[in-house]
């Protein structure tokens, strides 16, 4: 059986009295497209830094591609097989993009010029510019090229799409999908549930340094879970309409003004029947969307996950 | 040697600013020598009356009347402070700049060990300090020749050698400070250099604190101890080299385990 690309057991990292992450058990199988979800300060970057050996765990163990990142010799070997994109991509400001990309290739001891040129073309990155002249998005693109040009086995990407425009996000995920199709493992952290749902097979949800949930994306988000928003007539404010009370699968109903919002995990037919049964004129509008990250978190917490 | 070349390139502008500034001081000082020589007796009498100040700067041993004496007192102060400051500045920045510039995450996630990164960084710093001293020597010799004097060659080269080791030792101490203090390293490094400098002056003034010679490299690199007899204090220099080796080893060990902040 193939060893997991990433495996951490009871990973804990504290900074004095401050919490980093606590008792994390994560397994990322080789070839997985894995999403790592959590709000700011949840501990995503801390976990990723422990995977890369930038920080040493306070307790627990980490293995990446079978190697221990806390061991200096093994860390160098594993970093040769990893492509890492930090959340805040920073380079030497007085260097040109081409020089930074070439520096990274030389440190990998690989001739990556052809692949770097291909990536720069796909990402529409001008390599003649100095780093200090680049916008956040273009710095991110340079980081993507540095992370991908040496054809690593494992991609660890910390909030990779922050700063990229929607068009470039699409190109970026196309590149990742191509690598995934080649059998590479992709692990990326994100605030955006939608991109995790679209691309990932598995995911973990981190909350206040602890693992709130882990598993297949469909199981985590709930394939039938939807955020229902009802625009109600004025007289209906402040109550959950009787037709909806007792309907299985409704969670966390909240009402703001004329708007009633809840998470629905049941089948569509009973909900549509209940909505149809509402008194005439009460329902002004209905919006059904994928739940946002916050709603899913709320759902998990209220469900006691 | 990718990191070595990368560091040399990054430090080029700073190197030339420091080297030319301090080198120009050597030249300007030596150009003052003919004027000072004509007033040597008066100047010596004035400086002889300055008590501890006279001893602190070695003016009780070195006289203004000779080119080497003048070089030791005037240019020696410029090189001691200028070279020490450059070594402290460059040594302190060596690791800290990766944290202040937020490039640490990029650098330390490349497949090269931290020991090799540190080794190549310090080698680049050593190269820059050697080059700094070569610029100084070129400026100093230009000054000597311009005023029609020849330095006492043996004493001159021994003094330059001691200054080089002193600067490397300061750079090593500040490199360690850089590893420990991160973003606050520059202030810490300059503080270490100033401490070593004033310890040596204190030792020059008071015989009760002779122990400072075992701590500060400014002691063995003092012109007043080298130039008169063209002789180095080899045991103290060996101790300095041992300190340098020990501090580099400790820095490698410590930084290899340190958590890297973004």
């Amino acid at each position: 059986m193939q060893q997991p690309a990433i495996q951490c057991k009871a990973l804990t990292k504290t900074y004095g009295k401050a919490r980093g992450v606590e008792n994390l058990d994560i397994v990322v199988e080789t070839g997985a497209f894995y999403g790592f979800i959590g709000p700011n300060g949840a501990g995503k970057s801390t976990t990723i830094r422990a995977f890369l050996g930038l920080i040493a765990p306070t307790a627990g163990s980490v293995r990446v591609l079978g190697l221990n990142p806390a061991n200096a010799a093994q860390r160098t070997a594993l970093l040769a097989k990893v492509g890492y994109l930090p959340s805040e991509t920073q380079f030497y400001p007085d260097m040109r993009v081409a020089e930074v990309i070439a520096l990274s290739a030389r440190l990998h001891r690989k001739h990556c010029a052809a692949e770097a040129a291909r990536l720069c073309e796909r990402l529409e990155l001008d390599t003649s510019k100095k780093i200090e002249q680049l916008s956040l998005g273009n710095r991110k693109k340079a980081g993507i090229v540095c992370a991908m040009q040496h054809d690593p086995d494992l991609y660890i990407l910390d909030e990779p799409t922050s700063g990229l425009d929607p068009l470039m996000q699409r190109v970026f995920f196309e590149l990742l999908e191509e690598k995934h199709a080649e059998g590479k493992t992709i692990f990326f952290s994100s605030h955006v549930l939608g991109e995790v749902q679209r691309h990932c097979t598995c995911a973990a949800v981190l909350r206040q340094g602890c693992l709130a949930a882990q598993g297949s994306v469909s199981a985590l988000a709930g394939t039938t879970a939807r955020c229902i928003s009802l625009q109600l007539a004025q007289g209906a404010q402040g109550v959950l309409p009787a037709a909806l009370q007792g309907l299985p699968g409704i969670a966390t109903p909240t009402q703001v003004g004329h708007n009633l919002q809840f998470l629905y995990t049941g089948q569509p037919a009973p909900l549509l029947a209940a909505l149809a049964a509402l008194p005439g004129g009460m329902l002004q509008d209905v919006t059904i969307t994928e739940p946002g990250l916050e709603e899913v978190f709320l759902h998990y917490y209220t469900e006691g996950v | 040697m990718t990191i070595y070349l990368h560091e040399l390139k990054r430090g080029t502008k700073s190197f030339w600013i420091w080297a030319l500034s301090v080198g120009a001081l050597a030249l300007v000082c030596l150009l003052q020598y003919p004027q000072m020589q004509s007033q040597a007796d008066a100047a010596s009498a004035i400086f002889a009356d300055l008590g501890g100040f006279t001893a602190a700067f070695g003016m009780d041993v070195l006289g203004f009347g000779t080119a080497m004496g003048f070089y030791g007192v005037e240019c020696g102060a410029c090189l001691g402070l200028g070279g020490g400051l450059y070594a402290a500045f460059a040594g302190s920045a060596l690791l800290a700049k990766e944290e202040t510039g937020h490039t640490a995450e990029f650098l330390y996630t490349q497949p090269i060990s931290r020991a090799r990164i540190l080794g190549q960084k310090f080698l680049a710093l050593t190269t820059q300090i050697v080059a700094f001293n070569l610029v100084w020597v070129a400026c100093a010799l230009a000054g000597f020749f311009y005023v029609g004097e020849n330095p006492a060659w043996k004493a001159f080269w021994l003094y330059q050698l001691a200054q080089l080791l002193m600067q490397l030792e300061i750079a090593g101490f500040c490199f360690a400070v850089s590893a420990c203090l991160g973003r606050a390293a520059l202030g810490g490094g300059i503080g270490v250099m100033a401490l070593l400098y004033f310890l040596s002056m204190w030792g020059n003034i008071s015989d009760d604190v002779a122990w400072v010679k075992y701590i500060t490299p400014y002691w063995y690199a003092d012109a007043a101890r080298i130039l008169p007899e063209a002789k180095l204090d080899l045991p103290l220099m060996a101790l300095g080299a041992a300190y340098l080796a020990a501090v580099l080893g400790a820095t490698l060990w410590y930084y290899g385990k340190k958590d890297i902040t973004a």
Side-chain angles (χ1 to χ4, degrees):
Chain A
M1 187 177 160
Q2 205 168 18
Q3 67 184 2
I6 301 173
Q7 184 168 32
C8 68
K9 291 179 183 169
L11 172 63
T12 299
K13 179 67 185 177
T14 54
Y15 300 95
K17 288 181 180 175
R19 166 192 62 75
V21 293
E22 199 174 330
N23 217 25
L24 295 189
D25 289 314
I26 296 174
V27 178
V28 180
E29 297 296 346
T30 298
F33 206 133
Y34 198 100
F36 196 41
I37 314 161
N40 289 334
K44 300 188 299 293
S45 295
T46 297
T47 308
I48 285 174
R49 288 191 182 123
F51 289 170
L52 295 162
L54 287 171
I55 58 174
T58 307
S61 67
V62 178
R63 293 290 179 275
V64 178
L65 301 171
L67 299 164
N68 179 6
N71 177 293
Q74 292 186 34
R75 178 168 60 228
T76 306
L78 89 82
L79 290 175
K81 300 175 188 176
V82 170
Y84 171 54
L85 179 67
S87 59
E88 290 176 28
T89 317
Q90 296 283 0
F91 301 108
Y92 305 102
D94 53 346
M95 289 177 79
R96 296 191 185 279
V97 174
E99 292 172 329
V100 168
I101 293 170
L103 173 66
S104 179
R106 281 199 303 278
L107 290 170
H108 277 275
R109 297 170 181 238
K110 282 193 172 180
H111 297 287
C112 314
E115 180 63 5
R118 188 184 76 84
L119 290 166
C120 289
E121 192 181 337
R122 291 277 295 272
L123 293 163
E124 298 173 13
L125 177 62
D126 181 355
T127 58
S128 65
K129 282 192 170 174
K130 280 195 166 185
I131 295 294
E132 62 194 358
Q133 297 172 323
L134 296 184
S135 64
L136 170 65
N138 280 322
R139 274 209 316 274
K140 204 85 178 187
K141 290 181 195 176
I144 292 168
V145 176
C146 288
M148 299 185 81
Q149 63 175 342
H150 58 285
D151 195 27
D153 295 333
L154 169 63
Y155 294 82
I156 297 180
L157 313 162
D158 195 358
E159 295 179 20
T161 53
S162 62
L164 290 181
D165 63 49
L167 193 66
M168 276 305 134
Q169 288 185 20
R170 198 173 71 185
V171 173
F172 170 67
F173 277 111
E174 283 171 7
L175 289 168
L176 288 187
E177 293 286 6
E178 288 165 18
K179 293 296 174 186
H180 185 231
E182 291 171 16
K184 311 293 187 183
T185 307
I186 293 156
F187 178 96
F188 80 97
S189 72
S190 179
H191 299 292
V192 186
L193 185 65
E195 62 187 25
V196 173
Q197 282 180 304
R198 273 191 294 279
H199 302 284
C200 295
T201 48
C202 296
V205 181
L206 201 62
R207 177 200 170 218
Q208 293 181 1
C210 298
L211 209 56
Q214 181 177 209
S216 71
V217 167
S218 56
L220 284 174
T223 46
T224 58
R226 290 294 180 267
C227 182
I228 314 294
S229 179
L230 305 180
Q231 193 72 32
L232 302 174
Q234 289 216 344
Q237 282 183 43
V239 292
L240 186 66
L244 295 174
Q245 286 177 12
L247 185 68
I250 287 185
T252 63
T254 52
Q255 187 158 2
V256 179
H258 304 262
N259 189 266
L260 171 67
Q261 203 172 66
F262 56 87
L263 202 65
Y264 181 67
T265 54
Q267 293 299 311
L271 175 67
L272 293 174
L275 292 177
L278 289 173
M282 177 184 270
L283 186 61
Q284 304 286 304
D285 197 6
V286 181
T287 310
I288 302 176
T289 55
E290 286 184 344
L293 189 59
E294 190 182 334
E295 288 133 354
V296 170
F297 278 174
L298 203 54
H299 170 62
Y300 279 129
Y301 301 157
T302 53
E303 293 294 312
V305 178
Chain B
M1 298 300 273
T2 304
I3 297 292
Y4 172 75
L5 296 172
H6 172 64
E7 280 299 321
L8 282 185
K9 195 173 174 187
R10 283 181 78 193
T12 302
K13 193 187 286 183
S14 168
F15 163 77
W16 281 114
I17 290 171
W18 277 94
L20 292 178
S21 301
V22 181
L25 280 177
L27 198 56
V28 169
C29 272
L30 280 164
L31 295 183
Q32 305 294 315
Y33 173 64
Q35 191 184 350
M36 290 297 290
Q37 189 186 26
S38 64
Q39 301 164 6
D41 291 341
S44 296
I46 291 168
F47 288 125
D49 289 340
L50 295 178
F53 187 79
T54 308
F57 287 93
M59 290 182 294
D60 52 340
V61 178
L62 298 168
F64 280 114
T66 66
M68 283 308 286
F70 182 80
Y71 177 73
V73 174
E74 291 290 312
C75 299
C78 295
L79 181 59
L81 276 174
L85 277 172
Y86 175 63
F89 171 79
S92 304
L94 212 51
L95 297 174
K97 67 186 173 188
E98 305 292 352
E99 293 186 28
T100 53
H102 304 285
T103 49
E105 258 191 323
F106 169 75
L107 183 62
Y108 295 110
T109 52
Q110 304 296 325
I112 176 167
S113 69
R114 289 189 200 176
R116 286 185 63 191
I117 291 173
L118 265 63
Q120 290 188 31
K121 273 176 172 278
F122 196 77
L123 191 59
L125 175 59
T126 303
T127 305
Q128 285 165 340
I129 288 175
V130 169
F132 173 93
N133 282 277
L134 289 177
V135 172
W136 168 273
V137 165
C139 291
L141 291 182
F144 270 113
F145 296 140
Y146 187 81
V147 298
E149 293 283 344
N150 270 326
W153 288 108
K154 186 183 175 189
F156 178 82
W157 289 117
L158 290 178
Y159 176 63
Q160 295 306 140
L161 182 67
Q163 285 285 322
L164 176 63
L165 180 62
M166 179 199 80
Q167 290 163 19
L168 288 175
E169 202 180 324
I170 291 170
F173 287 144
C174 294
F175 187 55
V177 168
S178 184
C180 297
L181 293 188
R183 289 179 173 87
L186 187 58
I190 301 295
V192 166
M193 175 260 155
L195 177 71
L196 295 172
Y197 182 77
F198 287 110
L199 272 180
S200 177
M201 289 183 77
W202 188 28
N204 284 345
I205 296 166
S206 169
D207 290 336
D208 296 338
V209 289
W211 50 268
V212 299
K213 68 182 179 184
Y214 299 113
I215 297 173
T216 171
Y218 277 99
W219 186 278
Y220 65 69
D222 190 342
R225 294 190 178 83
I226 297 170
L227 297 183
E229 294 180 35
K231 197 175 169 187
L232 293 173
D233 191 333
L234 289 176
L236 281 183
M237 288 180 71
L239 184 66
Y243 282 156
L244 177 60
V247 87
L248 289 181
T251 305
L252 281 179
W253 175 82
Y254 173 76
Y255 207 73
K257 295 174 179 296
K258 188 188 175 187
D259 285 351
I260 302 294
T261 54

